[in-house]
Amino acid sequence: MKTVKFVNIAAQFNSLRDEILKKIDDVCQSGSFILGNELKEFEQNFASYCGCRYAVGVANGTDALFLVMKALGIGRGDEVITAPNSFLATAGAIIAAGAKPVFADVRDDYNIDPNKIEEAITGRTKAIMPVHLTGRPADMSAILDIAKRHGLYVIEDAAQSVGASYNGKKAGSFGIAGCFSFHPLKTLNAYGDGGAITTNDTALYEKLVKIRNHGLKNRDECEMWGYNSRLDNLQAAILNVKLRYLDGWNRRKREMAAMYRERLHGVVKVPVDAQGEEPVYHTFIVQCERRNEMMQHLLKLGVETKVHYPIPIHLQEAASLLGYKEGNFPVAEAQAKRILSLPIYPELSDEELEVVCDAVRSFYSGLT
Ligand SMILES: *Cc1c(COP(=O)(O)O)cnc(C)c1O
């Protein structure tokens, strides 16, 4: 039986093997592992890729969110509005910073609903943290407008959307800061953890450079208390290689999304691109009745799928003290029961994609 894996990290490594092993060798020979030249180069490359003045490499995407809040002075007594359907790290970073996550329901495209943000604003709100979930940009013009009217920061969780754009502007370049993850499962990925923050704000940039490195302003002088959260020079070297392939990978993912859409339209609910957006489809999420049965059916036919994510954050045990309950966010809750992520990665072949589509269709026709 032909099987289709949900991810295939080795396939990408094998296609870049010589280039990457050479880079690793170079860095190891140089002995420069922390805050080295490859990191500097990556920060410049990544800032320019995102259309921002600055980028700061940090240890992971969660730290990117956390450090931005710390640098902006967001903490105890403050509220940050975000989406309940994101990966846990978004709300987790807000909690770690000492602030309170306040959720606002999402729209049909899985992204935060600007109208619901407006309803969630209180005197304690300091920031809006939209998540560009699934590789599709949130409604940034509406969100920036709300933020401006209420004097709030916009901190973008762009962990799933590297390279996506909205009205020609890249995800991560709209707010005071954009936060990225280079976790092995993201499209631009390291061989371990990694993250970055983009910004156009010089004061924020200068502060972030210090607080990711113990608050040091030079080797010996500590200006403020900080953290140890740096992107390794070795990971930065690997990312410098991969960044050159990113647009090609994202193009291929858009092509696969179009193929899925054409083949599965009318069979399951498929995502449709909105006017002005160029998504990158970090995940390709369909919605269907009897989702868990569908998943089992696909697995029996050798097709691996996942659910991103089955339990909304406000219903997690860890979130119980926030005081939410089932029914608070009906759109996100209904989606959580119906969503299914199909395999989508640059190395997936057209033939494999057909296998996935045939398997999905056969669930309804009973032709297994
Ligand atoms: C992956 C991810 C993060 C966290 O990134 P890490 O590098 O794993 O810390 C945060 N938010 C979203 C939406 C993500 O998908």
Side-chain angles (χ1 to χ4, degrees), residues 17-36:
R17 195 170 186 276
D18 293 345
E19 225 179 328
I20 284 180
L21 290 182
K22 167 85 173 60
K23 275 280 193 184
I24 292 175
D25 191 56
D26 289 349
V27 172
C28 291
Q29 297 290 348
S30 80
S32 176
F33 296 105
I34 306 293
L35 299 177

Side-chain angles (χ1 to χ4, degrees), residues 165-181:
S165 66
Y166 175 85
N167 292 337
K169 248 170 92 74
K170 286 261 165 62
S173 70
F174 291 92
I176 181 87
C179 300
F180 293 87
S181 164

